[in-house]
């Protein structure tokens, strides 16, 4: 059965709340509390609808909303020991909210919150413990929490640890795959660079040969131009001498003609 609009809005808001819960928030941050209150109202409305989802899915929604509500109540506690004890009893969701998630976000938030509370307890044990009974209580609780984290007190914690290991292994595989792709790209870039270098080298050789041929043709053209210029100068000199001789012959002939044939009276 297709999800209704109210269920889609519930899933979107639930995914947003899980993302906010996974971040480090300021003490004055108010959005998550308002969002969780809106989730409770939407969940009640969804349960009242005639076309409501399957009971298993409704239980999963309720489980996630209760987890977020309990997480907010645990953050309001003053002592880190009380926060860790309250977080220990929280039950995260069993299935992912969206298709993009491989591990339920609430389980990841649960593990992060446990680790944060453990770190705060260690800080208090090392520097800011005020009384011996509280110190003994914190030591005992920290030891129990460490044993619970390593051995696993419930099946949910075991499943969360296994899923966390699977997520870490997936990220490691993705990093190795990315490294292999980068090496392949580097080899391809190297081969392309070598091929481009060979092409440029061949082009440079062809250009050098063309320049040498152009220089040779220019020298030949210059020699031929000099020879043509000399030949033109020689032909002009002969023509000038011939014209001078013709002019002189005509002048002398005219003088002789005038002398031989005097003017008639």
């Amino acid at each position: 059965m297709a999800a209704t609009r109210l269920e889609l809005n519930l899933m979107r808001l639930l995914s947003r709340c899980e993302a906010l819960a996974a971040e480090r928030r300021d003490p004055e941050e108010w959005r998550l509390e308002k969002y969780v209150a809106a989730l409770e109202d939407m969940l009640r409305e969804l349960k009242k609808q005639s076309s409501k989802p399957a009971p298993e899915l409704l239980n999963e929604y309720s489980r996630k909303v209760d987890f977020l509500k309990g997480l907010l109540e645990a953050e309001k506690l003053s002592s880190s020991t009380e926060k860790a004890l309250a977080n220990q009893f929280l039950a995260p969701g069993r299935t992912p909210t969206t298709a993009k998630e491989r591990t339920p976000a609430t389980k990841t938030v649960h593990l992060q919150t446990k680790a944060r509370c453990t770190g705060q307890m260690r800080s208090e044990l090392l520097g800011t413990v005020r009384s011996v009974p509280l110190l003994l209580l914190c030591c005992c609780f920290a030891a129990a929490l460490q044993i619970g984290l390593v051995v696993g007190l419930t099946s949910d914690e075991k499943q969360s640890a296994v899923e966390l290991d699977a997520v870490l292994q997936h990220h490691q595989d993705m990093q190795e795959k990315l490294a292999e792709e980068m090496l392949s790209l580097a080899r391809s870039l190297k081969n392309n660079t070598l091929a481009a270098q060979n092409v440029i080298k061949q082009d440079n050789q062809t250009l050098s040969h063309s320049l040498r041929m152009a220089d040779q043709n220019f020298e030949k053209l210059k020699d031929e131009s000099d020879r043509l210029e000399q030949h033109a100068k020689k032909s002009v000199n002969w023509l000038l001498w011939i014209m001078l001789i013709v002019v002189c012959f005509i002048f002398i002939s005219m003088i002789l003609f005038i002398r031989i044939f005097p003017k008639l009276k």
Side-chain angles (χ1 to χ4, degrees), residues 4-256:
T4 61
R5 184 174 182 179
L6 180 61
E7 186 179 358
L8 291 175
N9 293 333
L10 175 67
M11 292 172 62
R12 292 180 187 141
L13 186 58
L14 183 59
S15 177
R16 178 59 178 163
C17 291
E18 291 172 350
L20 285 175
E23 298 174 355
R24 286 187 175 273
R25 303 182 306 280
D26 296 332
E28 299 178 356
E29 177 64 37
W30 54 270
R31 290 181 298 172
L32 183 58
E33 187 173 357
K34 297 294 184 181
Y35 289 169
V36 172
L39 280 176
E40 292 179 341
D41 296 337
M42 294 171 69
L43 186 59
R44 283 194 295 268
E45 292 294 331
L46 186 63
K47 290 179 180 179
K48 294 178 182 178
Q49 286 186 348
S50 59
S51 59
K52 58 184 178 181
E56 296 82 5
L57 194 56
L58 281 175
N59 292 334
E60 184 66 20
Y61 290 153
S62 300
R63 185 184 181 93
K64 292 179 180 180
V65 173
D66 292 339
F67 171 79
L68 293 173
K69 186 177 179 181
L71 185 66
L72 289 174
E73 293 176 354
E75 289 179 352
K76 294 179 182 179
L77 298 175
S78 58
S79 174
S80 60
T81 306
E82 295 175 352
K83 291 180 180 179
L85 185 60
N87 282 311
Q88 189 69 24
F89 291 102
L90 293 178
R94 295 188 178 92
T95 59
T97 305
T98 60
K100 296 180 180 179
E101 298 177 3
R102 294 182 178 272
T103 304
T106 51
K107 290 188 177 181
T108 305
V109 173
H110 195 203
L111 293 175
Q112 292 176 352
T113 307
K114 283 183 179 180
R116 193 179 303 119
C117 293
T118 304
Q120 291 177 359
M121 284 195 303
R122 288 175 180 173
S123 299
E124 290 182 359
L125 289 175
L126 291 175
T128 60
V129 177
R130 295 182 179 180
S131 61
V132 175
L134 182 59
L135 174 62
L136 294 176
L137 179 61
C138 291
C139 290
C140 294
F141 185 78
L145 186 59
Q146 290 293 332
I147 294 173
L149 289 175
V150 176
V151 179
L153 297 175
T154 63
S155 59
D156 289 339
E157 292 180 355
K158 289 182 180 179
Q159 186 178 1
S160 300
V162 171
E163 290 176 351
L164 183 60
D165 292 338
V167 171
L168 294 176
Q169 184 65 34
H170 175 69
H171 284 295
Q172 185 176 0
D173 295 339
M174 291 293 291
Q175 290 177 357
E176 292 177 356
K177 185 178 179 181
L178 183 60
E180 291 177 358
E181 291 179 355
M182 291 178 65
L183 288 175
S184 177
L185 290 175
R187 294 192 190 99
S188 178
L189 181 60
K190 181 180 178 181
N191 294 331
N192 293 333
T193 303
L194 292 175
Q197 185 177 0
N198 293 330
V199 172
I200 293 173
K201 186 176 180 180
Q202 293 177 0
D203 291 341
N204 289 333
Q205 292 177 355
T206 305
L207 183 60
S208 300
H209 179 69
S210 300
L211 290 175
R212 286 196 299 269
M213 294 295 295
D215 292 337
Q216 293 177 2
N217 293 333
F218 180 76
E219 293 295 334
K220 291 180 180 180
L221 182 61
K222 186 178 180 181
D223 294 339
E224 294 296 331
S225 299
D226 294 337
R227 289 177 58 187
L228 182 61
E229 186 178 358
Q230 292 177 2
H231 182 69
K233 287 180 180 180
K234 288 180 180 181
S235 61
V236 170
N237 290 335
W238 282 106
L239 183 60
L240 180 62
W241 283 109
I242 292 172
M243 290 179 65
L244 287 174
I245 292 171
V246 170
V247 170
C248 291
F249 177 75
I250 294 173
F251 180 74
I252 295 171
S253 300
M254 289 299 294
I255 292 174
L256 291 175

